[in-house]
Amino acid sequence: MMNWLNTYRRYACDIHRINREVQQNPEDFILTVEKIFHSDIRQITDRILNIPVKRHIIYLSGPSSSGKTTTGMKLAEAFEKKGCHAILVSMDDFYLGKDYIRILPNGQHDFEAVEALDIPLVKKCVKQIVLEGECDIPVYDFPNSSRSGQIRHLKAEKDSVIIMEGIHALNPIFDDAVLRDYISKIYVGVKQGVKDNEDYVLTNREIRLIRRIVRDYKFRCTGPETVIHRWEDVVEGEQKNIRPYRYNSDFTLNTIHIYEPCIMKKQTVELLSQVAPDTAEGVTASHLAAALQRFEAIDEALVPSDSLMREFIGGGTYHY
């Protein structure tokens, strides 16, 4: 397969251009960005559909708050619209459980390591679904950090795609389950930051952090100070378990929505004001708040209900 790496769409991420678009017509600005992103999804879908194999496996991965969950759903929708049966599988369901995962020096279980997954079972299920058209996968009990004992039966039609989404999906440890011809790999990430000439206003990593601050407050009952405190550990895990394998991907999808600082501004600045200023987390909070204040604000009601941004701000049509 042609490797599309380095051919992902790059945007003119200049704060002055972004603010000018917002001032002129924010609704058109948002819809243009959304159309472009959906076009990228369709292009990847069309490329994969041209691969002459049945029951294709798609490994989908990306770092925290890159939007991989929504991307997986959108890919599944795009395949279905083309008449191709699509099954979405979260690799998180293959976690072994906290009783089988090593403990780090800080006393936390190492859920970020690939060994936290039942690797033989992942490979067995991939082989069965490709060659036999069906398999049983476990259902993970997240509140108790253990397997639930339940199973989910997957049955794929003759022409199907099975989208395996997870932080370890690009790890080559899973490559020998079936022939490489049956596999496509997609890496999703915020590939750009926003600049003022040559200087960054927000880096791509800071954009992901802002997404996570808003999402975790709304949906995971986690305050901004805790999110910021944990962020370096999250990034360290990404450097070890995700980024080394991004060059193995066949497709790279840039998930930045260049209007997003404008819709994130109001709620994020309010959340960041809760962080004590005389702490390390407070320094980061102050920096992010100051950067966001430079953007023109957009009413989040203008964001389409099926936008990837709804994964973070809520109010969307997808269920997570």
Side-chain angles (χ1 to χ4, degrees), residues 87-90 93 135-139 150-154:
I87 300 172
L88 188 58
V89 177
S90 172
D93 275 321
C135 70
D136 292 328
I137 67 170
V139 176
Q150 301 176 8
I151 61 169
R152 174 187 170 199
H153 185 71
L154 301 184

Side-chain angles (χ1 to χ4, degrees), residues 81-145:
K81 287 179 180 178
K82 295 283 187 178
C84 178
H85 183 221
I87 300 172
L88 188 58
V89 177
S90 172
M91 293 183 72
D92 289 355
D93 275 321
F94 289 89
Y95 274 124
L96 289 164
K98 63 182 179 181
D99 293 338
Y100 301 92
I101 297 174
R102 72 185 183 97
I103 298 177
L104 296 168
N106 63 6
Q108 300 295 315
H109 289 87
D110 189 8
F111 283 100
E112 300 295 316
V114 68
E115 291 80 12
L117 298 176
D118 189 334
I119 296 170
L121 184 58
V122 174
K123 295 162 74 170
K124 176 184 176 182
C125 288
V126 167
K127 184 175 181 179
Q128 285 182 333
I129 198 74
V130 168
L131 301 181
E132 302 171 20
E134 52 188 308
C135 70
D136 292 328
I137 67 170
V139 176
Y140 194 72
D141 180 356
F142 287 94
N144 294 311
S145 298

Side-chain angles (χ1 to χ4, degrees), residues 155-169:
K155 188 173 179 64
E157 298 173 4
K158 183 178 180 181
D159 296 308
S160 302
V161 292
I162 299 88
I163 303 169
M164 306 281 290
E165 178 261 316
I167 62 172
H168 297 294

Side-chain angles (χ1 to χ4, degrees), residues 23-37:
Q23 291 166 352
Q24 292 174 351
N25 195 324
E27 188 168 11
D28 281 356
F29 181 37
I30 289 174
L31 291 179
T32 298
V33 173
E34 294 291 335
K35 287 178 181 178
I36 291 171
F37 182 71

Side-chain angles (χ1 to χ4, degrees), residues 58-63 68-69 88-92 95 117 163-171 174 186 188 241-242:
I58 298 173
Y59 285 129
L60 173 67
S61 185
K68 56 183 176 293
T69 303
L88 188 58
V89 177
S90 172
M91 293 183 72
D92 289 355
Y95 274 124
L117 298 176
I163 303 169
M164 306 281 290
E165 178 261 316
I167 62 172
H168 297 294
L170 299 188
N171 192 308
F174 302 112
I186 303 174
V188 302
N241 299 303
I242 301 174

Side-chain angles (χ1 to χ4, degrees), residues 207-226:
I207 289 172
R208 289 195 294 114
L209 174 56
I210 289 168
R211 288 180 174 185
R212 182 156 176 157
I213 287 170
V214 173
R215 182 200 65 188
D216 284 13
Y217 178 79
K218 286 195 168 188
F219 306 116
R220 302 185 181 183
C221 301
T222 304
E225 187 166 357
T226 300

Side-chain angles (χ1 to χ4, degrees), residues 67-70 215 219 307-314 320:
K68 56 183 176 293
T69 303
T70 304
R215 182 200 65 188
F219 306 116
S307 173
L308 178 143
M309 293 312 302
R310 292 290 177 183
E311 180 176 336
F312 307 100
I313 65 175
Y320 299 99

